[in-house]
Amino acid sequence: MIKGQFPVEKFQSIETPFYYYDIELLHKTLDTVKTAVKDKNFHVHYAVKANANPRILKAIAAYGFGADCVSGNEVLRALECGFDASKIVFAGVGKTDKEIRIGLDNDIFCFNVESLPELEVIETLASEKGKTARIALRINPNVDAHTHRYITTGLQENKFGLNERDLPKALEMIGAYSHIELIGIHFHIGSQITDLSSFEDLCVKAIEFRQRLKSWGAVLPLINVGGGLGINYQHPNHYPIADFESYFRLFEKYLTMDDGQALHFELGRSMVAPCGSLITRATYIKEGINKKFLIVDAGMTDLIRPALYKAFHHIENIGSDQEYTTYDVVGPICESSDVFAQDISLNEAKRGDLIAIRSAGAYGEVMASHYNCRELPKSYFSDSL
Ligand code: LLP
């Protein structure tokens, strides 16, 4: 059992639940990503939706990565935290006029456009401001990401991106507009993708679309392949817990770029999930008829992934070295789905033990809610405890 990575003594005086971020591990992960793309025309935009904690964003911005945003407020947050406007991309099927204006006013790098009506609105708003909006067409490639259906985005039945059917019309509109500059094509097929062959399929489609657009006269300085690289939730202590090397090598091999063409990525989870843990305390141990419940003070309001996607997070009792016992680890929320894990082995727990729910740095804190009038979890950082 590895408990060494947590400053358990320091945790004793902190009110639970809270998110704990291992800043050294974050830096190590960012170093790995930076090294993997060095000397290539590869550009990584961190997907802010995965974790928008200012402290985390500032660390990522300091590495020179760009930001992939999905709301006007994410654009503003990214700017506040030091991301360069020239490296901000803005996706989303429902960008409002207000949000598009935020992007235009701040001269962001690129809008990833997801529908023909959106194209028209961007042209109108850009022309009102006398500006030119750079855009990439987000194409729905109909590639199966082989992941949970709630986080699959690149199939025809999903709401995201333009259909191939709409592409000629999109190009015709762009040709007629004078405030839109087409700079690329964009894809994102889903999240927590561990079967990398899905990315091979994406490369094949990307090349096909590039050819087709080229034959219609479109010059594309960049291709953006989105994010989605999955992590190994089972073994949080393995480093790196995402296979960055194979991931980037795959794109190098299967998506040969035209001269000077840049390849853009939008990684979220793999960059921040490993460094975050949700730290909670055992409130009660309750003997059920066939089960033993470990009731903790964190709930689905603090980390919704298990309740929403039946997601697995490795859990450790970092306050005990007793024999292993089987528990269902549950929260206090009035929902039967408020369960972090079922039938898992943990060191025998007593009231007050500290429990760590691992690999929670992505889509954890940022998805927390006030349901049941609960407070939002606070965050603490390894370098400033
Ligand atoms: N780019 C776009 C356009 C996206 O929609 C997403 C994630 C990303 C990039 C980043 O993907 P990543 O590298 O993090 O897989 N709440 C869910 C995940 C939702 C992902 C939404 N889009 C979860 O907890 O698993």
Side-chain angles (χ1 to χ4, degrees):
M1 185 182 43
I2 302 172
K3 297 178 196 239
Q5 70 269 55
F6 292 109
V8 177
E9 282 310 311
K10 288 188 176 161
F11 286 175
Q12 297 300 346
S13 56
I14 306 178
E15 193 185 350
T16 46
F18 61 89
Y19 275 89
Y20 172 71
Y21 295 106
D22 180 338
I23 295 297
E24 272 168 35
L25 181 55
L26 174 65
H27 285 154
K28 201 168 154 186
T29 309
L30 299 177
D31 281 333
T32 302
V33 176
K34 200 169 177 177
T35 308
V37 298
K38 207 173 95 205
D39 303 330
K40 301 184 180 83
N41 201 358
F42 283 9
H43 303 265
V44 174
H45 294 79
Y46 164 67
V48 174
K49 62 180 82 64
N51 189 319
N53 185 307
R55 183 69 217 283
I56 301 286
L57 289 184
K58 284 177 190 162
I60 297 173
Y63 271 72
F65 293 117
D68 158 42
C69 300
V70 78
S71 72
N73 283 348
E74 279 195 359
V75 171
L76 294 174
R77 174 82 62 96
L79 289 166
E80 274 161 30
C81 291
F83 286 94
D84 207 305
S86 67
K87 291 183 183 170
I88 292 183
V89 298
F90 185 5
V93 293
K95 299 176 195 80
T96 62
D97 293 16
K98 182 177 167 189
E99 291 178 311
I100 292 169
R101 287 197 182 101
I102 288 174
L104 291 169
D105 288 342
N106 289 287
D107 293 318
I108 62 163
F109 176 62
C110 183
F111 292 87
N112 292 331
V113 173
E114 310 220 13
S115 68
L116 299 178
E118 183 190 335
L119 207 50
E120 196 182 332
V121 171
I122 294 181
E123 165 66 16
T124 308
L125 299 180
S127 106
E128 275 170 23
K129 291 184 182 291
K131 294 202 168 195
T132 299
R134 282 170 299 275
I135 66 132
L137 295 173
R138 176 170 181 177
I139 304 173
N140 185 324
N142 202 25
V143 167
D144 193 347
H146 303 290
T147 183
H148 192 286
R149 73 186 173 88
Y150 286 5
I151 49 177
T152 291
T153 49
L155 288 177
Q156 257 164 20
E157 67 220 48
N158 301 129
K159 67 179 173 180
F160 301 99
L162 289 148
N163 302 309
E164 10 181 336
R165 198 191 52 203
D166 290 336
L167 293 178
K169 180 73 188 164
L171 290 189
E172 187 192 315
M173 288 164 75
I174 293 166
Y177 291 158
S178 44
H179 299 87
I180 280 187
E181 181 191 356
L182 176 65
I183 60 168
I185 46 176
H186 172 241
F187 306 91
H188 173 72
I189 57 172
S191 197
Q192 184 50 19
I193 298 169
T194 48
D195 173 1
L196 293 189
S197 69
S198 301
F199 292 118
E200 281 178 40
D201 298 343
L202 172 61
C203 290
V204 171
K205 288 284 180 139
I207 290 171
E208 261 175 50
F209 282 115
R210 176 178 59 193
Q211 276 317 108
R212 204 173 315 165
L213 267 78
K214 216 170 166 180
S215 71
W216 294 331
V219 183
L220 303 173
L222 69 90
I223 297 184
N224 182 335
V225 290
L229 175 63
I231 66 158
N232 183 345
Y233 279 100
Q234 315 291 329
H235 298 107
N237 296 320
H238 284 191
Y239 186 83
I241 74 172
D243 191 356
F244 294 111
E245 212 182 299
S246 307
Y247 173 76
F248 288 115
R249 208 175 327 110
L250 182 149
F251 283 98
E252 206 171 13
K253 180 167 172 200
Y254 292 98
L255 187 42
T256 40
M257 303 299 279
D258 288 350
D259 265 353
Q261 206 168 37
L263 189 52
H264 286 214
F265 299 87
E266 299 172 342
L267 293 178
R269 183 191 314 270
S270 50
M271 288 169 77
V272 292
C275 74
S277 297
L278 176 60
I279 308 295
T280 176
R281 273 194 177 87
T283 310
Y284 299 110
I285 290 95
K286 172 162 133 174
E287 300 285 344
I289 302 293
N290 320 306
K291 296 231 175 222
K292 203 181 251 209
F293 295 105
L294 170 57
I295 304 171
V296 295
D297 60 8
M300 62 193 282
T301 50
D302 306 293
L303 176 65
I304 200 173
R305 304 194 66 258
L308 194 55
Y309 317 113
K310 291 204 178 308
F312 174 87
H313 284 263
H314 180 80
I315 300 179
E316 288 167 36
N317 182 347
I318 55 173
S320 160
D321 49 15
Q322 301 296 305
E323 290 300 303
Y324 281 88
T325 304
T326 303
Y327 294 102
D328 275 18
V329 181
V330 302
I333 311 299
C334 291
E335 298 277 344
S336 301
S337 60
D338 186 29
V339 173
F340 287 116
Q342 287 184 303
D343 297 319
I344 60 157
S345 249
L346 285 183
N347 293 99
E348 187 168 359
K350 58 181 184 316
R351 182 171 161 79
D353 278 356
L354 286 163
I355 311 292
I357 306 181
R358 304 290 307 275
S359 314
Y363 307 109
E365 186 183 358
V366 80
M367 290 178 84
S369 80
H370 283 295
Y371 183 42
N372 286 191
C373 284
R374 284 172 59 86
E375 284 167 24
L376 293 180
K378 293 202 171 66
S379 50
Y380 295 89
F381 305 91
S382 58
D383 59 348
S384 54
L385 257 192

